[in-house]
Amino acid sequence: METLAMHISNGIIDGPVAAVFAALALAVLTFCVLRGRRDLDDRLAPMAGLVAAFIFAVQMLNFPIFTAGVSGHLLGGALAALLVGPWVGALCVAVVLVVQALVFGDGGVAMLGLNITNMALLGTAAAYLLIALLLRVLPRTPAGLGITAFVSALVSVVVASQGFVLEYWLGGTTDLGGNLAGLSGTMAGVHLLIGIGEGLITATTVVTVAKVRPDLVYALRALKPAVPAPAVPVAGGAR
C-alpha cells in the first residue's frame, strides 16, 4: 500500500464494510452521548470544548517518522480519555474527525465510520482501560501520571492501527496475496513509532494541566485509588 495513514481515504475499503462500520460508529457514539451526559457539569463541558480544539490544532502538526518514510500526528484518544473521560473523549475525537473529513478532506467522507471506529472508539477505549489499570498501581505523582499518559497513548495508537487491518481484511479493495500478517506488522511497527510521539505530547500536556489544575484531569477524579480493607478483630479479645 502506498500510504499507511490512519485516515482512510475513499476506495480503500469497499462500500458494504464501510456502511457496516458507519452504523456501528453511529450506535456507539449515540451511547457515548447518553452516557456522557452523566459526566457533564460546569467543569467538564468547557473542558471538552478545549480538548477538541487542542486535538484539532495539534493534529495539523505532523512529525516525520524517518525510518518509515511517513509522518504522524496526534490521534488524541488517550489525551481526551485522561482529561474528559472515555465517553466525552470519544465524542471529542469524533467531532475532530468529522470536521477534518468534511472541511479539509483528511480521510474520505464515505470512510468516516471506519476512521471514527479506529481513532475515536478503539483508540479511546484502549487508552482508558490502560489508564484505569495504571492509575491503580502507579503513584499519583507527576511521574506516575506521565508514565500512565505515555503508555496509554502509545498502546492506543497501535490498537487503532490494527483496527484498520481488521477492516482491510473484511473489505480491502486491493488483493494483498494473503499477506495480512505483513500488513499488520507494518502498521504496528510504523504506528509504534508514531505512538512514541503521541505519548510524549500526551504526557507533557496532561502533566502540565495536572500541576496547575489537578481537578480538571478527569482520570484523577473518577478513578479513586484502592482503599485497603479495615482489619477485622480476632475473636477472643485479641486484636
Side-chain angles (χ1 to χ4, degrees):
M1 299 180 65
E2 295 180 359
T3 179
L4 294 170
M6 276 301 302
H7 291 269
I8 304 171
S9 301
N10 288 334
I12 292 181
I13 308 293
D14 65 31
V17 172
V20 169
F21 278 94
L24 173 65
L26 181 60
V28 177
L29 289 177
T30 300
F31 179 78
C32 288
V33 170
L34 298 175
R35 183 60 181 81
R37 286 179 178 176
R38 303 180 189 177
D39 296 330
L40 284 177
D41 53 24
D42 294 339
R43 177 172 44 190
L44 190 62
M47 191 63 180
L50 291 174
V51 167
F54 181 79
I55 292 173
F56 180 82
V58 177
Q59 280 197 4
M60 294 298 179
L61 304 175
N62 286 5
F63 48 86
I65 308 298
F66 296 108
T67 58
V70 298
S71 62
H73 63 67
L74 182 81
L75 269 65
L79 177 64
L82 279 159
L83 294 179
V84 296
W87 315 110
V88 178
L91 294 172
C92 288
V93 179
V95 168
V96 171
L97 294 174
V98 170
V99 172
Q100 287 182 335
L102 296 179
V103 179
F104 297 96
D106 196 356
V109 175
M111 304 291 112
L112 196 51
L114 298 165
N115 288 321
I116 289 176
T117 298
N118 295 339
M119 290 181 275
L121 304 182
L122 287 179
T124 304
Y128 196 73
L129 288 174
L130 263 178
I131 292 165
L133 172 64
L134 293 175
L135 283 182
R136 295 185 184 279
V137 297
L138 292 176
R140 298 196 173 205
T141 60
L145 184 61
I147 293 172
T148 297
F150 180 85
V151 173
S152 61
L154 188 154
V155 172
S156 71
V157 172
V158 176
V159 170
S161 75
Q162 297 308 296
F164 168 76
V165 175
L166 171 64
E167 293 155 1
Y168 201 86
W169 175 66
L170 293 173
T173 56
T174 302
D175 185 9
L176 296 178
N179 192 26
L180 190 68
L183 174 62
S184 176
T186 302
M187 289 290 289
V190 170
H191 286 85
L192 181 65
L193 298 175
I194 294 174
I196 293 174
E198 170 119 2
L200 292 174
I201 295 171
T202 302
T204 301
T205 303
V206 173
V207 169
T208 301
V209 173
K211 285 182 177 179
V212 180
R213 289 286 303 274
D215 60 303
L216 294 181
V217 180
Y218 176 94
L220 293 179
R221 303 194 314 268
L223 300 172
K224 305 297 183 183
V227 178
V232 179
V234 180
R239 298 184 182 275

